[in-house]
Amino acid sequence: GLALVISDGRPIGLDGWLTEIGSGALFGVLPYPVLVMLVIGLITAFVLRRTYAGRAMYAIGGNDEAARLSGIKVTRQRLLIYAMSGLFAAVAGILLAARLASAQPEAGTGYELDAIAAVVIGGASLAGGVGSALGTFVGALILAVLRNGLNLLDVSAFWQQVVIGAVIAAAVLFDTARQRRRSGKRGPGLLRSPSVRRATAAVTALLVVAAGWAIYQRQNAADDGRLKVALSVSTLNNPFFVDLREGAQQEADRLGVDLRVTDASEDASQQANAVQNAIAQNVDAIVVNPVDSDAVVPSVQAANSAQIPVIGVDRAPSAGNVVTTVASDNVAGGRLAAQQLAEQVGSGPIAVLEGEPGTSAARERGQGFTDEIRNHPGIQVVASQPADFDRTKALDVMQNIAQAHPEIRGVFAANDEMALGAIKALGARAGTDVKVVGFDGTPEGLEAVKAGTESADVAQQPKLLGKAAVEQAVRAARTHDLGPGQPTNIPVQVVTKDTVEAFLRGQ
């Protein structure tokens, strides 16, 4: 929360020696983050096994009351443990910021599940008192190999979550069985076997070998003379980007291109991994839809160094050589949205739901809307809050705004997902007392326009964006064009209840 307050919800760009830590390597061989990981791992192993504090940690985890009666200052030791945990988290945050060349106020959200999974997979117990630094190191490696291996195999992002979730569930199940054995309780027969850990290790090794072999076969099969294009999408949990991927795939099939799609799940670090994998696969071109325009810059620069052309789609990287960015004219679209909302509202207070902070789409749509709404002095923007292009967040934010400002007469949402969340929050007021203008032209958004709950939609053409991005990638790969070049603008248009049928027929 304080990070969001201090940064105003926006990424803070970094440069100089700090970014060198994230992308450089010792003697050009050992990356600095790996070096830091090894050093911290060795320090942790030493502390756990060779110091009083480490032995106290095991004792407290096993039985804190017994540890207290044995003379261990439990409260003091716990304070030390949490201080070390905070220190390690801070080091991880610095490394993540260095790798992304920007400090992201929400970076690392959700990583706590991966941390818990790594230690459990590595043999630590959720009940405490059992585990090692080496085991945790191996658990973290297993998670990383799973994520990268599944990406390299082009496994659907949705199935990746199923696989990783199953691995975590299995690790917790084995831990539960182990605790039952230690306490003398009966558990499932198979899991009581003393050889279960050896069997688990063998199965894990076989899975890693199988994944490696499958990746090798995949690479050989793909080396068939076809152009290889990587597409990294910020999220596939949004109909707009699902349509964008579909348009890209259709064009790739038409041109005979091997298109490899990865889903960053709105995680800039995960997107960096996907782009690095694409570079390692020596693809002919990379199309990137940035999670964050600043955070993607080191990945773009890495592709530049590898002489691989980069094409932006929907959102533009803030630096690095990009052949072109295929995007709707977001500034013009924001102006159109402001004009339409002013026309429908006439005068009075309105609210704005902003997109993901740091993305070019959010910035440009907001800029166009703000510049144009100033030309309508009868309109007052009484609330402007980010909802991160997310329907659920928009529902919550809109409910709060409606309570604080029950008099609002209009809402501009920077995408249709947020518009639909606002409509849900407004209930019967949407489209009648309160005019809602969205942006994107997704199928569900256009249905809301037909129903009258969304008063207007600044419609993009996501399939055309995907198609044009693949076209540009193929052209750049064949001509060895590394950029920088001019943007490729795809037109937008305002769709209302009177024009929505005609727009749908024209698609």
Side-chain angles (χ1 to χ4, degrees):
L2 285 175
L4 289 166
V5 170
I6 293 167
S7 65
D8 195 27
R10 301 179 185 279
I12 298 172
L14 305 174
D15 56 18
W17 65 269
L18 188 55
T19 57
E20 179 63 23
I21 291 176
S23 57
L26 183 65
F27 307 123
V29 176
L30 184 65
Y32 290 129
V34 174
L35 178 63
V36 172
M37 176 184 67
L38 292 174
V39 169
I40 287 182
L42 290 172
I43 292 172
T44 304
F46 177 80
V47 169
L48 286 175
R49 293 297 181 185
R50 301 295 180 184
T51 68
Y52 168 81
R55 292 191 292 272
M57 289 181 199
Y58 282 106
I60 295 168
N63 188 320
D64 59 347
E65 181 62 16
R68 186 184 66 79
L69 294 173
S70 300
I72 295 174
K73 293 181 172 58
V74 173
T75 301
R76 182 182 297 177
Q77 290 301 319
R78 278 187 170 149
L79 181 62
L80 173 65
I81 292 164
Y82 282 110
M84 290 182 66
S85 177
L87 173 64
F88 291 165
V91 171
I94 291 169
L95 290 177
L96 183 58
R99 185 171 186 228
L100 301 177
S102 64
Q104 308 279 323
E106 292 192 275
T109 301
Y111 282 18
E112 59 273 14
L113 179 61
D114 280 4
I116 294 169
V119 296
V120 173
I121 291 171
S125 171
L126 291 174
V130 176
S132 67
L134 178 61
T136 298
F137 181 79
V138 171
L141 287 182
I142 289 173
L143 272 184
V145 167
L146 272 174
R147 290 191 188 280
N148 275 1
L150 293 171
N151 269 336
L152 289 168
L153 287 169
D154 287 346
V155 175
S156 161
F158 307 140
W159 279 108
Q160 288 187 33
Q161 294 190 39
V162 172
V163 172
I164 292 170
V167 169
I168 294 171
V172 174
L173 178 64
F174 288 133
D175 178 57
T176 303
R178 181 173 56 199
Q179 291 305 314
R180 286 177 180 238
R181 289 198 306 275
R182 289 176 63 189
S183 62
K185 296 178 182 178
R186 292 185 58 83
L190 175 64
L191 299 179
R192 290 201 313 272
S193 169
S195 63
V196 74
R197 290 183 68 182
R198 290 192 295 272
T200 304
V203 170
T204 301
L206 285 173
L207 284 173
V208 171
V209 171
W213 176 253
I215 292 168
Y216 174 75
Q217 293 293 330
R218 169 85 167 81
Q219 290 290 88
N220 285 345
D223 191 17
D224 54 6
R226 293 193 300 163
L227 286 177
K228 299 185 288 293
V229 175
L231 168 60
S232 175
V233 185
S234 59
T235 178
L236 288 176
N237 191 26
N238 183 316
F240 177 84
F241 294 109
V242 172
D243 283 349
L244 187 150
R245 178 194 62 180
E246 186 178 334
Q249 189 63 63
Q250 289 173 352
E251 184 64 10
D253 292 341
R254 187 183 72 83
L255 296 174
V257 171
D258 178 13
L259 183 68
R260 303 174 179 187
V261 183
T262 55
D263 175 12
S265 301
E266 295 290 9
D267 184 339
S269 179
Q270 193 168 324
Q271 185 162 65
N273 290 340
V275 175
Q276 290 293 341
N277 286 342
I279 295 170
Q281 290 175 304
N282 197 30
V283 298
D284 297 293
I286 297 172
V287 179
V288 62
N289 162 234
V291 172
D292 178 86
S293 299
D294 293 327
V296 80
V297 170
S299 301
V300 172
Q301 292 171 338
N304 295 156
S305 298
Q307 301 291 296
I308 297 174
V310 178
I311 289 83
V313 61
D314 187 56
R315 305 166 186 168
S318 58
N321 283 345
V322 178
V323 176
T324 184
T325 297
V326 180
S328 302
D329 191 336
N330 285 311
V331 175
R335 289 184 178 277
L336 288 172
Q339 292 169 4
Q340 188 63 217
L341 192 59
E343 180 182 323
Q344 297 207 18
V345 170
S347 62
I350 64 168
V352 176
L353 298 181
E354 304 168 13
E356 181 82 24
T359 60
S360 58
R363 184 170 58 249
E364 291 166 4
R365 293 174 192 182
Q367 175 192 333
F369 183 87
T370 301
D371 290 347
E372 178 60 31
I373 209 69
R374 291 192 185 117
N375 298 325
H376 304 273
I379 300 289
Q380 303 91 41
V381 179
V382 295
S384 183
Q385 295 288 332
D388 300 344
F389 294 129
D390 183 80
R391 190 184 306 196
T392 304
K393 289 183 180 179
L395 171 62
D396 295 337
V397 171
M398 192 67 241
Q399 284 176 336
N400 293 335
I401 290 175
Q403 287 178 0
H405 303 280
E407 75 282 4
I408 62 167
R409 300 186 58 197
V411 176
F412 168 59
N415 81 336
D416 277 343
E417 284 295 290
M418 293 192 297
L420 293 166
I423 289 168
K424 183 69 174 176
L426 291 167
R429 298 180 66 199
T432 53
D433 298 340
V434 182
K435 306 298 182 183
V436 180
V437 174
F439 202 121
D440 274 349
T442 63
E444 202 170 348
L446 295 175
E447 284 298 320
V449 173
K450 288 170 69 175
T453 52
E454 189 171 331
S455 303
D457 201 345
V458 180
Q460 299 190 87
Q461 301 179 69
K463 289 185 179 179
L464 186 56
L465 285 174
K467 174 179 179 294
V470 171
E471 284 179 347
Q472 291 291 340
V474 170
R475 181 196 63 78
R478 288 174 175 166
T479 61
H480 305 289
D481 180 9
L482 298 177
Q486 297 300 312
T488 302
N489 287 328
I490 305 297
V492 297
Q493 68 181 85
V494 175
V495 180
T496 64
K497 190 172 184 178
D498 295 333
T499 61
V500 63
E501 292 292 352
F503 176 80
L504 290 170
R505 285 196 299 270
Q507 283 189 315

